[in-house]
Amino acid sequence: MKAVIIYKSKTGFARKYAEWISSVLDAELVNCRDFVNSDFNKYDVVIFGGGLYVGGINGVNIIKNNINLLKGKKVIVFASGATPKREETTKELFDFNFNAEEQKQIKFFYLRGGFDFSKLGIIDKILMTLLKLKLRMKKKSKRNADESGMLAAYAAPCDFTKLKYINELVEYAKA
């Protein structure tokens, strides 16, 4: 099996998972900005990972725009985000990011990452500050656990990554 892990990471959590997966699979690791689309034909297994931003997977267009080049290959996509992994959330993310045809060709995994406000760019900081204000305006009794956790994460970075979270993805890639 010849595999490549392509990643796009703003705050480092998707990169951390990509590095772990690359190490376990002994696969090539490439930052999305450095990947050449014509290189897809070198690999049997293509894994892409990116962080979540407003439900969208950062950089996933490298897969979506080249889906025809990936026919006959094992294609895996993972997203990392701060919220805990839940089956319904994973399905929602898969449906939001990929149409029915793309879903037939892609195996999707959600890996819990983290949140570090200090590593965001100015635009993301503005958007996240607006979210923070919206959450603060909500009565504490009306906030769910994810919303309360998100507010707490603004004060101190949180890293929920765990090596064991890649096990299912790695097993699928090897199968």
Side-chain angles (χ1 to χ4, degrees):
M1 161 182 84
K2 183 140 168 100
V4 64
I5 291 75
I6 307 162
Y7 70 92
K8 184 155 187 183
S9 185
K10 288 186 180 185
T11 56
F13 301 107
R15 183 186 71 236
K16 188 179 200 179
Y17 278 122
E19 289 169 350
W20 285 343
I21 295 164
S22 172
S23 177
V24 170
L25 292 176
D26 193 27
E28 188 172 342
L29 179 67
V30 184
N31 189 308
C32 188
R33 71 175 174 264
D34 300 325
F35 190 78
V36 179
N37 295 348
S38 61
D39 286 348
F40 280 124
N41 59 17
K42 296 179 186 176
Y43 306 99
D44 308 306
V45 178
V46 174
I47 302 171
F48 175 82
L52 288 174
Y53 296 91
V54 195
I57 302 167
N58 191 24
V60 78
N61 281 341
I62 195 166
I63 298 297
K64 293 173 69 68
N65 294 341
N66 294 289
I67 201 77
N68 290 329
L69 295 174
L70 298 168
K71 294 223 184 285
K73 298 179 183 305
K74 188 176 281 192
V75 181
I76 301 167
V77 173
F78 73 85
S80 68
T83 61
K85 180 181 176 180
R86 295 184 193 98
E87 228 176 279
E88 66 274 7
T89 307
T90 301
K91 172 126 179 52
E92 286 172 16
L93 289 170
F94 193 40
D95 291 343
F96 182 77
N97 285 278
F98 303 102
N99 65 39
E101 269 312 297
E102 293 165 339
Q103 288 184 14
K104 290 176 187 175
Q105 200 170 337
I106 296 166
K107 178 71 173 170
F108 178 69
F109 295 89
Y110 175 76
L111 308 175
R112 190 170 190 199
F115 181 73
D116 188 343
F117 186 78
S118 70
K119 291 184 177 178
L120 297 176
I122 188 70
I123 304 271
D124 290 327
K125 281 184 176 177
I126 291 168
L127 293 173
M128 292 307 294
T129 299
L130 292 173
L131 174 62
K132 180 181 177 181
L133 293 172
K134 181 180 175 184
L135 292 175
R136 278 195 174 158
M137 289 173 46
K138 203 174 195 183
K139 288 184 179 181
K140 282 186 181 182
S141 61
K142 299 286 185 186
R143 290 182 202 144
N144 64 35
D146 289 344
E147 292 168 334
S148 296
M150 191 70 212
L151 279 173
Y154 281 87
C158 50
D159 182 347
F160 302 110
T161 58
K162 291 189 171 136
L163 184 59
K164 70 180 184 179
Y165 292 163
I166 70 168
N167 290 346
E168 188 181 351
L169 185 154
V170 167
E171 290 308 310
Y172 178 79
K174 287 180 177 179

